[in-house]
Amino acid sequence: MSVLQAIVLGLIQGFSEFLPISSSGHLVLARWFFGWEEQPADIDKAFDVALHFGTFVAVVLYFRHDLVRYVREGVRLIWNREKPIDPDGRIAWLLVVATIPAAVVGALFEDVIDERLGTPTIIGISLIVFGLLLWWADRSTGRRPLTDLRTRDALIVGGAQALALNPGTSRSGITMTAGRMIGFDREATVRLSFLMSLPVIAGAVVFKVGGLFVDGVPDGLLTPMIVGVITSFLAGWVAIWGTLQIVRTRSFTPFVVYRVALGVLVLVVAGAGWR
C-alpha cells in the first residue's frame, strides 16, 4: 500500500465516519473504484480499523470536556446512590448500555458479515434504503435534549447501531435515524451518535489492530498505517465540527441526496460491469 492510498483512505474514513454516509461502505467502494484490492481481506480490514483509531482520538479530543464530566459522574454514581441521579452519570452508563447490541451481534455474526455482506451491490442498495429512512425520520419535530436519554432510548439506538455492521448502512446514519424517530432534536441526536461511537471503535481497534501487531505488521504497511491514522484524525475533527454546524441550522437532507446519488451510481456501474 502506498502513502497516497493511505492518505485517500484516511480522508474517506475521517469524513465519512461522522457524516451519515457509511465509512465502511466508502472504504470498500474506494478500493473497488480504484482497483486497490491487492492486500488480503484481513489486512485491509485491520488497516481500516486502524484508521478508526484516528477518528476515535478526534471524538475524544473534541468532546473531552463532556467526557471528563460523564466519566466523573458515572464513577461517582457507583458509590453515591443519592436521588435524584445526576443526569451526566446516568447518560454515561446509558452510553455503555447502548453499545451492547452491536457488540453482541458483531461477536456472534462476524464471519457471516465478512463473507456475505460488503459487496458493491449491497452497499449501493443500503446507501439508498437507509438514506431514505434517515430522510423520513428527520421529518420528525422531536425536541428532546440529550439529558432526556432513558434506558429504552439507549437500547433502541443501540439496537439500530447493530445494523451498521452491514457496510453501506452507516453507524452514524442509523443511530441518527433512530434518535430522530424517538423524538430527539438534531443536535442531541448527533452528539449521542458521536459519543456512542467511542466504546465501539475502541473495542474494534483493540481487537483487530492488536491482533495485527501480535501477528506482525506486514512489510511496508506500518508507514502507510501511521499516515492514514493521522489523516483520519484531522479529517474526523473537521467532520465532527462541520456536522454539528450543519444540523444546528439545516436538516439531514443534503446527506440523503448524496447517499441516494452515490447508491444509484454504484448500482449502475456494478450492473453495467464497468468495474
Side-chain angles (χ1 to χ4, degrees), residues 63 66 70 91 95 138 142-150 153 157 171-172 175-197 243-250 252:
F63 292 105
D66 301 67
Y70 290 143
I91 290 173
L95 289 173
D138 194 39
R143 293 291 183 268
R144 297 173 63 190
L146 186 56
T147 52
D148 196 36
L149 186 68
R150 298 291 184 267
D153 304 321
V157 180
R171 191 206 59 79
S172 58
T175 51
M176 292 175 191
T177 298
R180 291 295 283 158
M181 288 177 67
I182 57 179
F184 285 95
D185 64 43
R186 290 194 183 100
E187 184 168 355
T189 297
V190 170
R191 285 180 172 272
L192 176 60
S193 174
F194 291 170
L195 291 170
M196 281 178 58
S197 73
T243 303
L244 286 169
Q245 296 302 312
I246 290 172
V247 299
R248 284 171 182 149
T249 57
R250 301 177 183 275
F252 290 112

Side-chain angles (χ1 to χ4, degrees), residues 22-23 28 35 51 64 75 82 100 126 137 145 153 167 185 188 193 210 243:
S22 179
S23 61
V28 172
L51 296 181
R64 60 191 180 279
V75 172
E82 293 181 3
I100 294 175
S126 298
D153 304 321
D185 64 43
S193 174
T243 303

Side-chain angles (χ1 to χ4, degrees), residues 33-56:
F33 273 124
F34 296 120
W36 294 344
E37 299 170 314
E38 70 276 7
Q39 297 278 2
D42 57 336
I43 299 297
D44 277 343
K45 188 167 184 178
F47 180 83
D48 291 352
V49 173
L51 296 181
H52 280 68
F53 179 69
T55 50
F56 172 83

Side-chain angles (χ1 to χ4, degrees), residues 77-100:
L77 187 58
I78 298 175
W79 310 109
N80 184 1
R81 299 302 181 90
E82 293 181 3
K83 302 286 185 169
I85 296 175
D86 184 272
D88 290 335
R90 177 170 49 78
I91 290 173
W93 285 106
L94 290 178
L95 289 173
V96 175
V97 170
T99 66
I100 294 175

Side-chain angles (χ1 to χ4, degrees), residues 93-153:
W93 285 106
L94 290 178
L95 289 173
V96 175
V97 170
T99 66
I100 294 175
V104 172
V105 173
L108 293 177
F109 301 103
E110 180 184 13
D111 292 340
V112 174
I113 292 169
D114 289 344
E115 294 172 4
R116 304 286 182 84
L117 304 178
T119 65
T121 299
I122 292 178
I123 291 173
I125 294 172
S126 298
L127 285 169
I128 296 170
V129 171
F130 288 102
L132 293 175
L133 185 61
L134 173 60
W135 172 79
W136 175 79
D138 194 39
R139 299 174 65 189
S140 163
T141 56
R143 293 291 183 268
R144 297 173 63 190
L146 186 56
T147 52
D148 196 36
L149 186 68
R150 298 291 184 267
T151 302
R152 174 179 173 275
D153 304 321

